[in-house]
Amino acid sequence: MKLGGKKIKFKSNSALVIAAGCTVAFMFLTTIISFVLYNQRMHEANNLLKEAKYTQYDSYVVLIASNDKSDFWQNVYQSAFEYGKEHGVYVDMISDNVDVNYSKTELLEMAIESGCDGIMLEGDDQPETQELLTKAYSAHIPVITLETDIASESRVSFVGVNNYTIANLYADAIKKNLVKQKHVMVIANNTYADATLNTFVNNIQGAFSEEELPNGPLEFEVRRIESNDAFATEEYIQNLFQKNEIQPVVICLDELSTAGFYQAMIDYNKVGQILLFGNYESQSIYTGIKQGVIKSTVTMNASSMGQAAAKAFIEYHQTGHVSDYINVEPEIIDGDNIESYLKEVEDANH
């Protein structure tokens, strides 16, 4: 059609019909793919059970953590595996045996579907985790939470450290290094519930309640990274530096943020301007402490945690009872004792 000498084209309804059809087809295809992937996970879960349980072991237990490739969780796993092996329990970290990078929720789902005899799980406050713990409880699979507890009757025991003790270790470390700094940033991942972080800050403030500080009481700002992904953590920390939103005192409550913040301090020439206190231990964190960039790190003994978790499962499996809370003593690593930790690593590698 021409109007005023110009040709005008009208879109036909057929284009809309095609677009709608494509949308429906895409949704259908997505559903099919999700269903196939789910069945693949369940198939892998059952294969893992068959490979482990029906050989020389009496029980099959799965260990699941958000950052299960980290040095800390690998050490927890090795300790639990060795202790379990001596007592007829096969402790498995599913993620080490599959090619796909499954999420923590998917791994928990696989463990339940496998019909395993028990689960050792790094806790968090995600609703999906709560739902799956209820499902495990219904399937008579005992769950032992590690490091971070879950407020649920569906777990049988918690292996970790007292929040008050952790807070006091950080407070002592800050006291040793504080000059005139007043503002403190606490960085945590999404395994920490809001209530846990609030309690942590209150406990540190309580530890300073009778201290005469140069600039008065410390002021805290809490940042939570809503992901356990290494790239997301690095990106979040990079943004803090780019936007100049960092504080002169920083406490990182997980291994990824500690290592990421340490590297960012070097990249953005902030060494000597920020007091960094970390969490967990790794070769990177050891190096940061030796250089003086990281003032100290608070960690739980990974071997003790793994062994305690394995013991807890065996006790519950044999008696139907186990302590609700099993304490693992935390450790602080700083410039005073870093050489002994480095020597342990060197000896282990020879």
Side-chain angles (χ1 to χ4, degrees), residues 231-260:
F231 177 77
T233 300
E234 180 182 348
E235 185 178 41
Y236 186 94
I237 291 171
Q238 292 283 337
N239 286 335
L240 289 178
F241 278 84
Q242 290 169 6
K243 296 177 181 178
N244 198 29
E245 294 179 353
I246 52 178
Q247 300 294 351
V249 181
V250 176
I251 300 173
C252 292
L253 293 178
D254 63 270
E255 181 181 343
L256 284 177
S257 63
T258 301

Side-chain angles (χ1 to χ4, degrees), residues 36-308:
V36 170
L37 291 176
Y38 173 82
N39 282 321
Q40 179 185 339
R41 294 202 306 272
M42 297 308 103
H43 177 70
E44 288 180 342
N46 282 296
N47 282 343
L48 290 169
L49 178 64
K50 290 174 183 176
E51 290 173 9
K53 187 174 180 180
Y54 299 110
T55 52
Q56 58 189 4
Y57 299 96
D58 300 322
S59 304
Y60 175 61
V61 178
V62 175
L63 192 154
I64 300 170
S66 55
N67 184 25
D68 46 22
K69 301 299 182 186
S70 70
D71 292 345
F72 178 82
W73 285 109
Q74 284 293 319
N75 289 337
V76 171
Y77 165 61
Q78 287 298 327
S79 176
F81 175 81
E82 293 298 333
Y83 188 87
K85 184 179 179 180
E86 295 172 3
H87 296 82
V89 177
Y90 185 90
V91 179
D92 185 21
M93 187 172 270
I94 300 178
S95 57
D96 285 350
N97 300 314
V98 294
D99 297 327
V100 181
N101 187 25
Y102 291 118
S103 69
K104 181 179 167 185
T105 301
E106 289 170 336
L107 291 171
L108 181 54
E109 187 178 35
M110 289 170 66
I112 296 169
E113 183 65 24
S114 76
C116 62
D117 297 299
I119 297 172
M120 301 172 186
L121 175 72
E122 179 194 9
D124 59 57
D125 66 342
Q126 300 302 306
E128 297 87 352
T129 304
Q130 294 275 2
E131 293 172 8
L132 287 171
L133 253 65
T134 301
K135 185 176 179 180
Y137 181 81
S138 300
H140 306 290
I141 300 174
V143 177
I144 297 167
T145 52
L146 307 178
E147 196 220 19
T148 303
D149 200 7
I150 295 176
S152 171
E153 295 180 356
S154 300
R155 64 96 170 135
V156 298
S157 184
F158 166 60
V159 179
V161 65
N162 183 279
N163 194 313
Y164 179 81
T165 305
I166 289 284
N168 274 272
L169 285 175
Y170 278 112
D172 289 342
I174 292 172
K175 289 175 189 176
K176 287 173 60 177
N177 293 277
L178 199 67
V179 183
K180 293 183 179 180
Q181 299 90 340
K182 182 179 180 66
H183 298 280
V184 181
M185 175 179 285
V186 178
I187 301 176
N189 62 25
N190 63 2
T191 63
Y192 287 87
D194 290 338
T196 302
L197 291 171
N198 290 336
T199 301
F200 174 75
V201 170
N202 289 337
N203 286 337
I204 292 186
Q205 289 175 323
F208 280 101
S209 60
E210 297 182 4
E211 297 287 331
E212 290 291 335
L213 300 178
N215 286 328
L218 296 176
E219 295 182 2
F220 288 81
E221 173 188 356
V222 176
R223 295 291 190 103
R224 189 164 72 168
I225 305 172
E226 298 300 333
S227 173
N228 292 313
D229 177 71
F231 177 77
T233 300
E234 180 182 348
E235 185 178 41
Y236 186 94
I237 291 171
Q238 292 283 337
N239 286 335
L240 289 178
F241 278 84
Q242 290 169 6
K243 296 177 181 178
N244 198 29
E245 294 179 353
I246 52 178
Q247 300 294 351
V249 181
V250 176
I251 300 173
C252 292
L253 293 178
D254 63 270
E255 181 181 343
L256 284 177
S257 63
T258 301
F261 206 96
Y262 155 61
Q263 186 59 50
M265 285 177 63
I266 296 172
D267 294 342
Y268 289 88
N269 297 315
K270 294 293 184 179
V271 175
Q273 300 178 42
I274 301 170
L275 297 178
L276 175 60
F277 302 92
N279 199 270
Y280 287 100
E281 54 187 297
S282 67
Q283 188 59 54
S284 173
I285 293 173
Y286 287 164
T287 301
I289 294 172
K290 185 174 176 61
Q291 293 173 339
V293 181
I294 302 175
K295 294 303 178 184
S296 64
T297 187
V298 174
T299 185
M300 285 173 278
N301 187 294
S303 297
S304 296
M305 174 175 282
Q307 182 172 318

